[in-house]
Amino acid sequence: MRIVEACLSLLGLLLLWWGVSAISDPLVLPPPDAVFYALVTEIGTGELWTHLGATLFRVVMAFGLAWMVGVVIGVSLGRIKLLDRWFWSWVTTFLNLPALVVIVVCYLALGMTETAAILAVTINKAPLIAVNVRDGVRQFDPKYDEFASNYGLSFSQKVRSIWIPQLEPFLFTALRTGLSLTWKVILVVELIGRSSGVGFQIHLYFQLFEVDVILAYALSFIVVMQLIEWLCVRPLEKYVQRWRSDGQLAQLQV
Amino acid sequence: MFKDGVVTVSWPNCKFDGKEVLQSGQLALHPGCSVVSGDSGIGKTTMLRAIAQNNSKIRSVLVFQEPTLLPWLTLEENLALVSKEHEVAIKWLDSFGLYNCLGLRPGQMSLGMQRRAAIVRGLIAKPDVLLLDEPSASLDQLNIDRLLDCLVEIIHSRSIPILLVSHQIDHFERLKAKQFYLGGSPAFIRVV
């Protein structure tokens, strides 16, 4: 039922787009069929897959690194008050540093390289992950820490069995917001200093004033991100958080 | 400290917001059950926590009033976290009428079942002394009777001291336990 509702909602958006494009300049806002035709053409030439693949690779690499760095920083700040007092301001500073500044500085420091591109996005997105994880760690239930201490659980047992399950909602929030923001920043990175990727293609077709192709590339990546959400993130979230729906049965048992 | 099967536990003065709430003390616990009673909020749980933290030479396991079974793990996984001796865990689960709950998560069990499961988890951690905080709180009579059966089973099977605190001491008359009373301000312990 939810899928039907989501499809109907998207259909409504499509109709709205059609309606607005009908009364606009088609060069500025082409109708959906023109964008679809551009998409099919790009798929036919193989260009779409090449550039989509390049962008996806950068998203995975940059977000993976940002995730690892952000989780380590977030857990450290959340658990160790001294570190939090000293370094929380660093995190908020980097959180508010414009992505463009980080990208330009990385390109200047390391040259127009793949490493600089990925590093820039990592530096820009790690603070967001860190903030989410730190908030999650600060909401840990102290009774589980007391249990772990009372039973002498090892550090790895605590991380695996107590910390990660409590962090799950925050990790999923960080995953969602982080992924959606990462790919947008990646486009800027590609637009400024790469010769492949969706951002590069958008820049190219901007110069040619072909808005239909620009929208085709943007739409294709939105579809990829939606597929990741529906085929990977949601099923995983549903699986790891299945225990949250427990409870009603308990009332019936003695 | 151990001597002839007797475990002596002690605790320091405890303060809350700068005010002393519990006087230091010690108890010699014999194998079997000892019950500490006292009014709600007098410091019984504080005393148990202090005992658990203060006696490093003794392996004391505190079973909390709120069963702290991890809700995201099944009962089997919860038990495996504190002991790898699966057979021992199965034996105790069987004695406590929980064998069929191995694959259930705590949220799928009743409070009475969770309490008994938490006691099993405490037992398989092989403690020198088992500390139980208000084990009968919020349970109906049927579940209290089951809990008492379980405690009797522990007393018969394992010669370890069990120290439990409760403000409803009448629940534990059947155990013929040694009785202590915690009272006063700051609270101090005395034999009843």
Side-chain angles (χ1 to χ4, degrees), chain A residues 141 143-144 146-147 150-153 157 160-163 165-166 168 240 242-251 253-254, chain B residues 49 52 59-64 66 68-72 81-82 104-105 107-110 113 118 121-122 125 142-143 146:
Chain A
D141 194 329
K143 74 182 176 195
Y144 297 126
E146 192 177 7
F147 151 71
N150 188 224
Y151 282 78
L153 298 194
Q157 280 180 312
R160 203 174 54 248
S161 303
I162 297 182
W163 291 5
Q166 289 186 90
E168 270 162 17
V240 297
R242 64 199 183 286
W243 61 273
R244 290 183 188 276
S245 57
D246 295 343
Q248 281 73 29
L249 181 64
Q251 308 299 323
Q253 298 193 30
V254 180
Chain B
R49 284 199 159 104
R59 174 142 178 76
S60 57
V61 163
L62 172 56
V63 178
F64 303 91
E66 186 185 351
T68 51
L69 298 167
L70 303 177
W72 42 84
L81 205 56
V82 299
L104 296 182
R105 290 187 293 271
Q108 297 170 315
M109 296 156 63
S110 69
M113 288 163 138
R121 185 177 63 179
L142 180 65
N143 272 304
R146 285 184 173 175

Short mmCIF file of all heavy atoms in Angstrom, two decimals, chain A residues 141 143-144 146-147 150-153 157 160-163 165-166 168 240 242-251 253-254, chain B residues 49 52 59-64 66 68-72 81-82 104-105 107-110 113 118 121-122 125 142-143 146:
data_model
loop_
_atom_site.label_atom_id
_atom_site.label_comp_id
_atom_site.label_asym_id
_atom_site.label_seq_id
_atom_site.Cartn_x
_atom_site.Cartn_y
_atom_site.Cartn_z
N ASP A 141 21.96 4.27 27.24
CA ASP A 141 21.30 3.99 28.52
C ASP A 141 22.36 3.53 29.54
O ASP A 141 23.04 2.53 29.30
CB ASP A 141 20.26 2.87 28.30
CG ASP A 141 19.32 2.75 29.47
OD1 ASP A 141 19.76 3.04 30.60
OD2 ASP A 141 18.16 2.37 29.28
N LYS A 143 22.19 2.01 32.20
CA LYS A 143 22.00 0.69 32.84
C LYS A 143 22.78 -0.39 32.09
O LYS A 143 23.23 -1.36 32.70
CB LYS A 143 20.51 0.35 32.95
CG LYS A 143 19.84 -0.05 31.67
CD LYS A 143 18.38 -0.31 31.90
CE LYS A 143 17.70 -0.63 30.57
NZ LYS A 143 16.27 -0.56 30.61
N TYR A 144 22.94 -0.23 30.77
CA TYR A 144 23.69 -1.23 30.03
C TYR A 144 25.19 -1.12 30.30
O TYR A 144 25.90 -2.12 30.29
CB TYR A 144 23.38 -1.13 28.53
CG TYR A 144 21.94 -1.42 28.21
CD1 TYR A 144 21.17 -0.52 27.49
CD2 TYR A 144 21.33 -2.59 28.66
CE1 TYR A 144 19.83 -0.78 27.22
CE2 TYR A 144 20.00 -2.85 28.40
CZ TYR A 144 19.26 -1.94 27.67
OH TYR A 144 17.94 -2.20 27.42
N GLU A 146 26.36 -0.16 33.17
CA GLU A 146 26.51 -0.74 34.51
C GLU A 146 26.51 -2.26 34.43
O GLU A 146 27.31 -2.93 35.09
CB GLU A 146 25.37 -0.24 35.41
CG GLU A 146 25.62 -0.55 36.88
CD GLU A 146 24.55 -0.02 37.80
OE1 GLU A 146 23.53 0.49 37.30
OE2 GLU A 146 24.73 -0.12 39.03
N PHE A 147 25.63 -2.80 33.58
CA PHE A 147 25.59 -4.25 33.38
C PHE A 147 26.94 -4.74 32.85
O PHE A 147 27.51 -5.72 33.34
CB PHE A 147 24.45 -4.62 32.43
CG PHE A 147 24.69 -5.86 31.62
CD1 PHE A 147 24.67 -7.11 32.24
CD2 PHE A 147 24.96 -5.79 30.27
CE1 PHE A 147 24.91 -8.26 31.50
CE2 PHE A 147 25.20 -6.93 29.53
CZ PHE A 147 25.18 -8.17 30.14
N ASN A 150 29.49 -4.60 35.55
CA ASN A 150 29.20 -5.60 36.58
C ASN A 150 29.60 -7.01 36.14
O ASN A 150 30.09 -7.82 36.94
CB ASN A 150 27.70 -5.53 36.90
CG ASN A 150 27.31 -6.39 38.10
OD1 ASN A 150 26.33 -7.07 38.08
ND2 ASN A 150 28.13 -6.36 39.14
N TYR A 151 29.41 -7.30 34.86
CA TYR A 151 29.71 -8.65 34.36
C TYR A 151 31.09 -8.72 33.71
O TYR A 151 31.45 -9.77 33.17
CB TYR A 151 28.65 -9.10 33.35
CG TYR A 151 27.37 -9.56 34.02
CD1 TYR A 151 26.46 -8.65 34.51
CD2 TYR A 151 27.09 -10.91 34.18
CE1 TYR A 151 25.30 -9.05 35.13
CE2 TYR A 151 25.92 -11.33 34.80
CZ TYR A 151 25.03 -10.40 35.27
OH TYR A 151 23.88 -10.82 35.89
N GLY A 152 31.84 -7.63 33.74
CA GLY A 152 33.20 -7.64 33.22
C GLY A 152 33.28 -7.93 31.72
O GLY A 152 34.17 -8.67 31.28
N LEU A 153 32.37 -7.35 30.94
CA LEU A 153 32.42 -7.57 29.49
C LEU A 153 33.66 -6.90 28.90
O LEU A 153 34.10 -5.85 29.37
CB LEU A 153 31.17 -6.99 28.81
CG LEU A 153 29.81 -7.56 29.17
CD1 LEU A 153 28.76 -7.13 28.16
CD2 LEU A 153 29.83 -9.09 29.25
N GLN A 157 33.17 -6.77 23.23
CA GLN A 157 31.79 -7.18 23.54
C GLN A 157 30.90 -5.96 23.74
O GLN A 157 29.75 -5.93 23.28
CB GLN A 157 31.76 -8.04 24.80
CG GLN A 157 32.15 -9.50 24.57
CD GLN A 157 32.09 -10.29 25.86
OE1 GLN A 157 32.61 -9.85 26.89
NE2 GLN A 157 31.47 -11.45 25.83
N ARG A 160 30.31 -4.31 20.26
CA ARG A 160 29.48 -5.11 19.37
C ARG A 160 28.04 -5.27 19.90
O ARG A 160 27.08 -5.12 19.16
CB ARG A 160 30.14 -6.48 19.19
CG ARG A 160 29.75 -7.20 17.93
CD ARG A 160 30.55 -8.48 17.74
NE ARG A 160 30.49 -9.39 18.87
CZ ARG A 160 31.52 -9.68 19.66
NH1 ARG A 160 32.69 -9.14 19.46
NH2 ARG A 160 31.39 -10.52 20.67
N SER A 161 27.94 -5.58 21.18
CA SER A 161 26.63 -5.97 21.71
C SER A 161 25.87 -4.87 22.42
O SER A 161 24.67 -4.99 22.65
CB SER A 161 26.80 -7.15 22.69
OG SER A 161 27.44 -8.21 22.05
N ILE A 162 26.56 -3.79 22.82
CA ILE A 162 25.87 -2.75 23.58
C ILE A 162 25.89 -1.40 22.86
O ILE A 162 24.85 -0.74 22.74
CB ILE A 162 26.48 -2.62 25.00
CG1 ILE A 162 26.27 -3.94 25.74
CG2 ILE A 162 25.88 -1.46 25.76
CD1 ILE A 162 26.77 -3.96 27.15
N TRP A 163 27.04 -1.01 22.37
CA TRP A 163 27.13 0.33 21.77
C TRP A 163 26.46 0.38 20.39
O TRP A 163 25.61 1.25 20.15
CB TRP A 163 28.59 0.78 21.65
CG TRP A 163 29.24 1.05 22.97
CD1 TRP A 163 28.69 0.85 24.21
CD2 TRP A 163 30.56 1.55 23.19
NE1 TRP A 163 29.61 1.20 25.18
CE2 TRP A 163 30.75 1.63 24.58
CE3 TRP A 163 31.59 1.94 22.35
CZ2 TRP A 163 31.94 2.09 25.13
CZ3 TRP A 163 32.77 2.40 22.91
CH2 TRP A 163 32.94 2.47 24.29
N PRO A 165 24.21 -1.51 18.78
CA PRO A 165 22.73 -1.56 18.73
C PRO A 165 22.06 -0.28 19.22
O PRO A 165 21.03 0.13 18.69
CB PRO A 165 22.39 -2.74 19.65
CG PRO A 165 23.60 -3.60 19.63
CD PRO A 165 24.75 -2.65 19.56
N GLN A 166 22.66 0.36 20.23
CA GLN A 166 22.06 1.61 20.71
C GLN A 166 22.28 2.76 19.72
O GLN A 166 21.51 3.71 19.68
CB GLN A 166 22.66 1.99 22.07
CG GLN A 166 22.20 1.09 23.20
CD GLN A 166 22.69 1.59 24.54
OE1 GLN A 166 22.03 2.36 25.21
NE2 GLN A 166 23.86 1.15 24.95
N GLU A 168 22.27 2.41 16.45
CA GLU A 168 21.66 2.12 15.14
C GLU A 168 20.80 3.25 14.58
O GLU A 168 21.02 3.66 13.43
CB GLU A 168 20.83 0.84 15.22
CG GLU A 168 21.63 -0.39 14.89
CD GLU A 168 20.92 -1.63 15.39
OE1 GLU A 168 19.72 -1.55 15.67
OE2 GLU A 168 21.58 -2.67 15.52
N VAL A 240 17.80 -4.96 11.31
CA VAL A 240 18.53 -4.75 12.56
C VAL A 240 17.65 -4.15 13.66
O VAL A 240 17.97 -4.27 14.83
CB VAL A 240 19.81 -3.89 12.37
CG1 VAL A 240 20.80 -4.56 11.47
CG2 VAL A 240 19.47 -2.51 11.86
N ARG A 242 14.44 -4.98 14.13
CA ARG A 242 13.23 -5.80 14.28
C ARG A 242 12.82 -5.96 15.74
O ARG A 242 11.65 -6.12 16.05
CB ARG A 242 13.41 -7.17 13.61
CG ARG A 242 14.48 -8.04 14.23
CD ARG A 242 14.91 -9.14 13.28
NE ARG A 242 15.89 -10.05 13.87
CZ ARG A 242 17.17 -9.75 14.07
NH1 ARG A 242 17.63 -8.56 13.74
NH2 ARG A 242 18.00 -10.61 14.62
N TRP A 243 13.78 -5.87 16.66
CA TRP A 243 13.46 -6.05 18.08
C TRP A 243 12.61 -4.90 18.63
O TRP A 243 11.96 -5.05 19.65
CB TRP A 243 14.76 -6.16 18.89
CG TRP A 243 15.63 -4.95 18.82
CD1 TRP A 243 16.59 -4.68 17.88
CD2 TRP A 243 15.62 -3.83 19.71
NE1 TRP A 243 17.16 -3.46 18.13
CE2 TRP A 243 16.60 -2.92 19.24
CE3 TRP A 243 14.88 -3.50 20.84
CZ2 TRP A 243 16.85 -1.71 19.87
CZ3 TRP A 243 15.13 -2.29 21.48
CH2 TRP A 243 16.10 -1.42 20.99
N ARG A 244 12.59 -3.76 17.93
CA ARG A 244 11.84 -2.62 18.45
C ARG A 244 10.33 -2.84 18.42
O ARG A 244 9.58 -2.15 19.09
CB ARG A 244 12.18 -1.35 17.66
CG ARG A 244 13.58 -0.87 17.93
CD ARG A 244 13.90 0.40 17.22
NE ARG A 244 15.32 0.71 17.37
CZ ARG A 244 15.85 1.33 18.41
NH1 ARG A 244 15.08 1.74 19.40
NH2 ARG A 244 17.13 1.56 18.48
N SER A 245 9.88 -3.81 17.60
CA SER A 245 8.44 -4.07 17.56
C SER A 245 8.04 -5.15 18.57
O SER A 245 6.87 -5.51 18.66
CB SER A 245 8.02 -4.50 16.16
OG SER A 245 8.76 -5.64 15.77
N ASP A 246 8.99 -5.66 19.36
CA ASP A 246 8.66 -6.63 20.40
C ASP A 246 7.84 -5.93 21.48
O ASP A 246 7.88 -4.72 21.60
CB ASP A 246 9.92 -7.18 21.07
CG ASP A 246 10.76 -8.00 20.11
OD1 ASP A 246 10.24 -8.39 19.06
OD2 ASP A 246 11.94 -8.23 20.41
N GLY A 247 7.14 -6.71 22.29
CA GLY A 247 6.49 -6.06 23.44
C GLY A 247 5.06 -6.47 23.65
O GLY A 247 4.68 -6.81 24.76
N GLN A 248 4.27 -6.47 22.58
CA GLN A 248 2.86 -6.78 22.76
C GLN A 248 2.67 -8.23 23.23
O GLN A 248 1.87 -8.50 24.11
CB GLN A 248 2.10 -6.58 21.45
CG GLN A 248 1.75 -5.14 21.14
CD GLN A 248 2.98 -4.35 20.72
OE1 GLN A 248 3.90 -4.92 20.14
NE2 GLN A 248 3.01 -3.07 21.02
N LEU A 249 3.48 -9.13 22.66
CA LEU A 249 3.35 -10.55 23.00
C LEU A 249 3.59 -10.79 24.49
O LEU A 249 2.95 -11.62 25.12
CB LEU A 249 4.38 -11.35 22.17
CG LEU A 249 4.40 -12.85 22.34
CD1 LEU A 249 3.08 -13.45 21.88
CD2 LEU A 249 5.54 -13.47 21.57
N ALA A 250 4.50 -9.95 25.05
CA ALA A 250 4.87 -10.14 26.45
C ALA A 250 3.68 -10.04 27.38
O ALA A 250 3.61 -10.70 28.42
CB ALA A 250 5.93 -9.11 26.84
N GLN A 251 2.70 -9.19 27.02
CA GLN A 251 1.55 -9.00 27.89
C GLN A 251 0.72 -10.29 27.99
O GLN A 251 0.00 -10.50 28.96
CB GLN A 251 0.65 -7.88 27.34
CG GLN A 251 1.38 -6.58 27.04
CD GLN A 251 2.02 -5.99 28.27
OE1 GLN A 251 1.45 -6.07 29.35
NE2 GLN A 251 3.20 -5.43 28.13
N GLN A 253 1.96 -13.42 27.85
CA GLN A 253 2.67 -14.57 28.40
C GLN A 253 2.84 -14.44 29.90
O GLN A 253 2.85 -13.36 30.44
CB GLN A 253 4.04 -14.68 27.75
CG GLN A 253 3.95 -14.89 26.26
CD GLN A 253 5.30 -15.31 25.72
OE1 GLN A 253 6.08 -15.93 26.40
NE2 GLN A 253 5.52 -14.99 24.47
N VAL A 254 2.99 -15.59 30.55
CA VAL A 254 3.24 -15.57 31.99
C VAL A 254 4.67 -16.06 32.24
O VAL A 254 5.09 -17.01 31.64
CB VAL A 254 2.26 -16.47 32.72
CG1 VAL A 254 2.51 -16.45 34.22
CG2 VAL A 254 0.85 -16.02 32.44
N ARG B 49 24.82 -1.85 45.06
CA ARG B 49 25.76 -1.31 44.06
C ARG B 49 27.15 -1.12 44.70
O ARG B 49 28.17 -1.41 44.08
CB ARG B 49 25.27 0.03 43.53
CG ARG B 49 24.12 -0.10 42.54
CD ARG B 49 23.98 1.15 41.70
NE ARG B 49 23.26 0.88 40.48
CZ ARG B 49 21.98 1.22 40.27
NH1 ARG B 49 21.30 1.83 41.21
NH2 ARG B 49 21.39 0.93 39.12
N ALA B 52 28.81 -4.41 45.04
CA ALA B 52 29.28 -4.90 43.74
C ALA B 52 30.57 -4.20 43.31
O ALA B 52 31.43 -4.80 42.68
CB ALA B 52 28.19 -4.71 42.69
N ARG B 59 33.93 -12.22 43.33
CA ARG B 59 33.16 -12.03 42.09
C ARG B 59 31.69 -11.93 42.49
O ARG B 59 31.02 -12.94 42.73
CB ARG B 59 33.40 -13.19 41.14
CG ARG B 59 32.52 -13.12 39.91
CD ARG B 59 33.24 -13.56 38.65
NE ARG B 59 32.39 -13.53 37.47
CZ ARG B 59 32.04 -12.42 36.82
NH1 ARG B 59 32.44 -11.24 37.25
NH2 ARG B 59 31.27 -12.48 35.75
N SER B 60 31.22 -10.70 42.60
CA SER B 60 29.80 -10.50 42.92
C SER B 60 29.07 -10.10 41.66
O SER B 60 29.58 -9.32 40.86
CB SER B 60 29.66 -9.42 44.00
OG SER B 60 30.24 -8.22 43.55
N VAL B 61 27.90 -10.66 41.49
CA VAL B 61 27.09 -10.32 40.32
C VAL B 61 25.78 -9.72 40.81
O VAL B 61 25.09 -10.30 41.64
CB VAL B 61 26.84 -11.56 39.44
CG1 VAL B 61 25.70 -11.30 38.48
CG2 VAL B 61 28.09 -11.90 38.63
N LEU B 62 25.50 -8.53 40.32
CA LEU B 62 24.28 -7.83 40.73
C LEU B 62 23.21 -8.02 39.65
O LEU B 62 23.42 -7.69 38.49
CB LEU B 62 24.60 -6.34 40.91
CG LEU B 62 23.44 -5.38 41.16
CD1 LEU B 62 22.61 -5.79 42.35
CD2 LEU B 62 23.97 -3.96 41.35
N VAL B 63 22.07 -8.58 40.08
CA VAL B 63 20.93 -8.71 39.16
C VAL B 63 19.99 -7.55 39.48
O VAL B 63 19.44 -7.46 40.57
CB VAL B 63 20.22 -10.07 39.35
CG1 VAL B 63 19.00 -10.16 38.43
CG2 VAL B 63 21.18 -11.21 39.07
N PHE B 64 19.87 -6.65 38.52
CA PHE B 64 19.15 -5.40 38.76
C PHE B 64 17.64 -5.62 38.85
O PHE B 64 17.11 -6.61 38.33
CB PHE B 64 19.43 -4.43 37.62
CG PHE B 64 20.89 -4.14 37.42
CD1 PHE B 64 21.64 -4.90 36.55
CD2 PHE B 64 21.52 -3.13 38.14
CE1 PHE B 64 23.00 -4.65 36.37
CE2 PHE B 64 22.86 -2.89 37.96
CZ PHE B 64 23.61 -3.64 37.08
N GLU B 66 15.38 -3.83 37.39
CA GLU B 66 14.92 -3.83 35.99
C GLU B 66 15.82 -4.80 35.23
O GLU B 66 17.03 -4.58 35.17
CB GLU B 66 15.06 -2.42 35.40
CG GLU B 66 14.48 -2.29 34.03
CD GLU B 66 14.75 -0.92 33.42
OE1 GLU B 66 15.25 -0.03 34.13
OE2 GLU B 66 14.46 -0.77 32.24
N THR B 68 18.20 -6.19 32.99
CA THR B 68 18.97 -5.49 31.94
C THR B 68 19.39 -6.45 30.84
O THR B 68 20.51 -6.38 30.34
CB THR B 68 20.22 -4.83 32.54
OG1 THR B 68 20.90 -5.81 33.31
CG2 THR B 68 19.88 -3.63 33.37
N LEU B 69 18.48 -7.35 30.48
CA LEU B 69 18.75 -8.19 29.31
C LEU B 69 18.78 -7.26 28.11
O LEU B 69 17.98 -6.33 28.02
CB LEU B 69 17.65 -9.24 29.15
CG LEU B 69 17.49 -10.23 30.29
CD1 LEU B 69 16.18 -10.99 30.15
CD2 LEU B 69 18.65 -11.21 30.35
N LEU B 70 19.69 -7.52 27.18
CA LEU B 70 19.79 -6.64 26.02
C LEU B 70 18.63 -6.95 25.07
O LEU B 70 18.51 -8.07 24.57
CB LEU B 70 21.14 -6.85 25.32
CG LEU B 70 22.35 -6.62 26.23
CD1 LEU B 70 23.65 -6.91 25.49
CD2 LEU B 70 22.36 -5.21 26.79
N PRO B 71 17.76 -5.96 24.81
CA PRO B 71 16.52 -6.24 24.08
C PRO B 71 16.72 -6.62 22.62
O PRO B 71 15.82 -7.16 21.99
CB PRO B 71 15.73 -4.93 24.19
CG PRO B 71 16.74 -3.89 24.48
CD PRO B 71 17.85 -4.56 25.22
N TRP B 72 17.92 -6.33 22.07
CA TRP B 72 18.17 -6.63 20.65
C TRP B 72 18.75 -8.03 20.48
O TRP B 72 18.96 -8.47 19.34
CB TRP B 72 19.11 -5.58 20.05
CG TRP B 72 20.23 -5.19 20.94
CD1 TRP B 72 21.43 -5.84 21.08
CD2 TRP B 72 20.27 -4.08 21.83
NE1 TRP B 72 22.20 -5.19 22.01
CE2 TRP B 72 21.52 -4.11 22.49
CE3 TRP B 72 19.37 -3.07 22.13
CZ2 TRP B 72 21.89 -3.16 23.43
CZ3 TRP B 72 19.74 -2.14 23.09
CH2 TRP B 72 20.98 -2.18 23.71
N LEU B 81 26.74 -14.02 26.12
CA LEU B 81 27.58 -12.84 26.33
C LEU B 81 28.38 -12.94 27.64
O LEU B 81 29.49 -12.43 27.73
CB LEU B 81 26.68 -11.60 26.38
CG LEU B 81 27.25 -10.24 26.03
CD1 LEU B 81 27.88 -10.25 24.65
CD2 LEU B 81 26.15 -9.19 26.08
N VAL B 82 27.82 -13.60 28.64
CA VAL B 82 28.51 -13.67 29.93
C VAL B 82 29.15 -15.02 30.20
O VAL B 82 29.98 -15.16 31.11
CB VAL B 82 27.56 -13.32 31.11
CG1 VAL B 82 27.03 -11.91 30.96
CG2 VAL B 82 26.43 -14.30 31.24
N LEU B 104 13.75 -16.41 22.07
CA LEU B 104 12.96 -15.17 22.20
C LEU B 104 13.83 -14.00 22.63
O LEU B 104 14.83 -14.17 23.32
CB LEU B 104 11.85 -15.34 23.23
CG LEU B 104 10.75 -16.37 22.95
CD1 LEU B 104 9.72 -16.34 24.07
CD2 LEU B 104 10.07 -16.08 21.62
N ARG B 105 13.44 -12.82 22.20
CA ARG B 105 14.10 -11.61 22.69
C ARG B 105 13.35 -11.15 23.95
O ARG B 105 12.17 -11.48 24.13
CB ARG B 105 14.07 -10.53 21.61
CG ARG B 105 14.97 -10.83 20.43
CD ARG B 105 15.04 -9.65 19.47
NE ARG B 105 13.77 -9.42 18.82
CZ ARG B 105 13.39 -10.00 17.68
NH1 ARG B 105 14.19 -10.85 17.06
NH2 ARG B 105 12.22 -9.74 17.15
N GLY B 107 11.87 -8.53 24.85
CA GLY B 107 10.60 -7.86 24.60
C GLY B 107 9.47 -8.81 24.28
O GLY B 107 8.29 -8.42 24.29
N GLN B 108 9.82 -10.06 23.97
CA GLN B 108 8.79 -11.07 23.68
C GLN B 108 8.49 -11.93 24.91
O GLN B 108 7.76 -12.89 24.82
CB GLN B 108 9.29 -11.97 22.53
CG GLN B 108 9.48 -11.20 21.23
CD GLN B 108 10.20 -12.02 20.17
OE1 GLN B 108 11.18 -12.68 20.45
NE2 GLN B 108 9.70 -11.98 18.96
N MET B 109 9.11 -11.56 26.04
CA MET B 109 8.89 -12.32 27.28
C MET B 109 8.20 -11.42 28.31
O MET B 109 8.31 -10.19 28.25
CB MET B 109 10.25 -12.78 27.84
CG MET B 109 10.98 -13.76 26.94
SD MET B 109 12.77 -13.77 27.20
CE MET B 109 12.88 -14.34 28.87
N SER B 110 7.53 -12.07 29.27
CA SER B 110 6.89 -11.28 30.33
C SER B 110 7.94 -10.81 31.33
O SER B 110 9.09 -11.28 31.31
CB SER B 110 5.85 -12.14 31.06
OG SER B 110 6.52 -13.14 31.80
N MET B 113 9.32 -13.64 33.42
CA MET B 113 10.30 -14.45 32.67
C MET B 113 11.64 -13.72 32.57
O MET B 113 12.70 -14.32 32.72
CB MET B 113 9.78 -14.70 31.25
CG MET B 113 8.64 -15.67 31.16
SD MET B 113 7.86 -15.46 29.55
CE MET B 113 7.57 -17.14 29.12
N ALA B 118 17.22 -13.09 33.94
CA ALA B 118 18.33 -12.26 34.43
C ALA B 118 19.06 -12.98 35.56
O ALA B 118 20.29 -12.88 35.69
CB ALA B 118 17.80 -10.91 34.90
N ARG B 121 21.24 -15.54 34.01
CA ARG B 121 22.45 -14.89 33.48
C ARG B 121 23.45 -14.61 34.60
O ARG B 121 24.66 -14.79 34.44
CB ARG B 121 22.08 -13.58 32.78
CG ARG B 121 23.26 -12.92 32.09
CD ARG B 121 22.86 -11.68 31.34
NE ARG B 121 22.34 -10.64 32.24
CZ ARG B 121 21.94 -9.44 31.84
NH1 ARG B 121 21.96 -9.14 30.56
NH2 ARG B 121 21.49 -8.55 32.71
N GLY B 122 22.92 -14.18 35.76
CA GLY B 122 23.79 -13.94 36.90
C GLY B 122 24.47 -15.22 37.36
O GLY B 122 25.67 -15.24 37.67
N ALA B 125 27.37 -16.64 35.24
CA ALA B 125 28.60 -15.85 35.32
C ALA B 125 29.48 -16.34 36.48
O ALA B 125 30.54 -15.77 36.74
CB ALA B 125 28.27 -14.37 35.49
N LEU B 142 1.66 -15.49 41.36
CA LEU B 142 2.09 -16.68 40.62
C LEU B 142 3.57 -16.57 40.24
O LEU B 142 4.35 -17.52 40.42
CB LEU B 142 1.24 -16.82 39.35
CG LEU B 142 1.57 -18.01 38.45
CD1 LEU B 142 1.27 -19.32 39.14
CD2 LEU B 142 0.78 -17.92 37.13
N ASN B 143 3.96 -15.40 39.75
CA ASN B 143 5.35 -15.20 39.35
C ASN B 143 6.28 -15.12 40.55
O ASN B 143 7.44 -15.54 40.47
CB ASN B 143 5.48 -13.94 38.49
CG ASN B 143 5.26 -14.26 37.03
OD1 ASN B 143 5.96 -15.12 36.47
ND2 ASN B 143 4.29 -13.63 36.42
N ARG B 146 6.97 -18.66 41.47
CA ARG B 146 7.93 -19.25 40.54
C ARG B 146 9.34 -18.78 40.85
O ARG B 146 10.30 -19.55 40.79
CB ARG B 146 7.58 -18.85 39.10
CG ARG B 146 6.41 -19.61 38.57
CD ARG B 146 6.17 -19.26 37.13
NE ARG B 146 5.12 -20.12 36.59
CZ ARG B 146 4.61 -20.00 35.39
NH1 ARG B 146 5.05 -19.05 34.58
NH2 ARG B 146 3.69 -20.81 34.97
#
